[in-house]
Amino acid sequence: MMAAMVDLFCDSFATVPRRIVLDIDDTEDRVHGAQQLSLFHAHYDGRCFLPMHIYEATTGKPVAVILRPGKPPDGAEVALVLRHIVRAIRARWPRVDILVRGDSHYGRHEAMSWCERNRVGYVFGLDGNTVLLRRVTGLAEDAAMSRIVGEADKVRRFGELRYAARTWKVERRVIARIEASAQGTDSRFIVTNLAGTPKALYETIYCARGQMENLIKAHKLHLASDRTSCSKATANQFRLLIHTAAYWLLHTLRGLAPKASFWREARFDTLRLGLIKVAARVTEMKTRIKLSLPTRFPYQESLTMLAARTVKLPP
């Protein structure tokens, strides 16, 4: 069924895109009781699942939501998921360019090696260490001194270097972002196989993945997809599928609204409360179904317009 979700994602495009951006991340799903795959996670101080979410960043469309144990994924698991997702997409769109973005616990050697072998771009966060910090000491000092002399309240510097962690078999391109502020100097790193300037790769490409937090919020909070209370893992995975189907419903409904409409940018909970969770009288006739809405329903025109556009959707 999750493979069918990938097909649904591909079917949602009227034309084959030239490039897609896949954002991958996980989120805490707190559990209660002895449920399959539940584990204690010290960071969240409780037993949980960590379901993996994958979205296409440009459109906000879901690609896959996978139930996982409550622990960070290892390199083999990340590579396995990427292999299944990318191969399913490339089976439909052989020439599409794919970029994968994730934070540091997805930047595993196995995942990066698989991407490099299969024409997939990647930008992953990279945890700092003493080696990396030592190699950007000059940039950090320059940023700190520039702030002292009044360049700005926050001064940023960008650099790049070739680096290989102990578990890597090859050197890779690492981008460094150093920021000096009143709180001190902060250094962040990303690893990538893309071309481009360090500043553009970090600020334009990598930081844009922050939008995924809103997509997960829509899935998890607005659609209550953390209601995975079954004891069996397969049952909870099915629940995630149902919530993903609800995501598709609201995402499609929102896309039918005119670009200048309030509903085009509305949150999912606003759509649900304003247009779906409405009292109505349903009358079945021989040739049609009649909906009678309350006379004081404030969104009658919007609902009528969206319903008319829904009828015109292709089969």
Side-chain angles (χ1 to χ4, degrees):
M1 293 183 71
M2 187 52 70
M5 284 290 179
V6 180
D7 288 335
L8 177 63
F9 164 75
C10 295
D11 290 339
S12 69
F13 288 82
T15 59
V16 177
R18 184 184 64 84
R19 185 192 195 203
I20 60 174
V21 180
L22 301 181
D23 281 341
I24 181 170
D25 204 352
D26 49 62
T27 183
E28 181 209 13
D29 185 349
R30 188 61 62 97
V31 303
H32 307 279
Q35 296 169 254
Q36 287 183 342
L37 300 185
S38 68
L39 294 175
F40 180 83
H41 197 295
H43 177 75
Y44 299 111
D45 193 26
R47 297 183 67 86
C48 64
F49 304 129
L50 284 180
M52 186 183 296
H53 291 242
I54 303 176
Y55 298 89
E56 203 287 311
T58 306
T59 60
K61 295 176 179 178
V63 181
V65 182
I66 304 167
L67 189 72
R68 295 187 53 263
K71 63 177 181 178
D74 59 20
E77 182 182 1
V78 177
L80 178 66
V81 170
L82 290 179
R83 182 166 71 247
H84 281 296
I85 298 297
V86 171
R87 284 182 177 177
I89 294 174
R90 286 258 172 86
R92 299 282 300 272
W93 303 331
R95 298 181 181 276
V96 67
D97 290 331
I98 298 177
L99 169 64
V100 178
R101 300 187 302 199
D103 63 16
S104 58
H105 65 275
Y106 284 92
R108 309 292 189 179
H109 169 69
E110 296 87 344
M112 292 186 287
S113 295
W114 186 89
C115 289
E116 290 161 355
R117 295 194 304 269
N118 290 275
R119 194 171 56 85
V120 175
Y122 63 81
V123 180
F124 294 119
L126 182 65
D127 289 330
N129 56 40
T130 54
V131 175
L132 290 171
L133 293 174
R134 184 171 62 250
R135 294 182 64 177
V136 298
T137 300
L139 286 173
E141 292 177 349
D142 177 64
M145 292 301 299
S146 297
R147 178 183 174 275
I148 291 174
V149 299
E151 178 178 323
D153 290 336
K154 289 184 179 180
V155 176
R156 280 190 170 187
R157 294 291 184 265
F158 296 89
E160 66 175 283
L161 52 104
R162 302 294 297 181
Y163 172 75
R166 186 174 301 174
T167 56
W168 299 1
K169 298 180 181 179
V170 296
E171 287 188 341
R172 294 187 168 93
R173 187 186 187 194
V174 172
I175 305 299
R177 188 277 286 161
I178 295 89
E179 181 177 275
S181 67
Q183 285 71 42
T185 302
D186 177 58
S187 300
R188 301 290 178 90
F189 302 92
I190 60 173
V191 57
T192 182
N193 63 348
L194 300 181
T197 64
K199 182 177 180 180
L201 287 171
Y202 187 89
E203 290 188 337
T204 305
I205 304 298
Y206 180 72
C207 289
R209 64 174 294 274
Q211 172 62 16
M212 189 182 184
E213 298 295 331
N214 293 325
L215 303 180
I216 292 178
K217 180 181 179 181
H219 197 289
K220 179 180 177 181
L221 298 182
H222 299 169
L223 300 178
S225 66
D226 57 349
R227 293 180 181 173
T228 46
S229 56
C230 297
S231 59
K232 299 293 185 181
T234 49
N236 285 321
Q237 175 64 71
F238 183 74
R239 281 175 174 253
L240 286 178
L241 284 165
I242 296 299
H243 287 286
T244 305
Y247 186 108
W248 269 112
L249 173 68
L250 293 179
H251 186 277
T252 304
L253 182 65
R254 185 170 62 185
L256 293 173
K259 291 184 178 180
S261 169
F262 158 79
W263 300 107
R264 193 60 176 260
E265 302 296 331
R267 303 193 314 180
F268 282 177
D269 55 347
T270 303
L271 288 167
R272 180 175 58 85
L273 294 173
L275 298 177
I276 295 179
K277 197 173 181 180
V278 179
R281 184 173 66 248
V282 181
T283 306
E284 281 194 59
M285 302 178 179
K286 288 186 178 180
T287 58
R288 59 183 177 145
I289 296 176
K290 182 180 178 182
L291 278 177
S292 301
L293 294 168
T295 55
R296 295 190 179 275
F297 177 48
Y299 305 124
Q300 291 185 51
E301 292 184 3
S302 297
L303 184 60
T304 302
M305 177 268 295
L306 290 172
R309 292 191 173 202
T310 302
V311 172
K312 297 178 182 179
L313 283 176

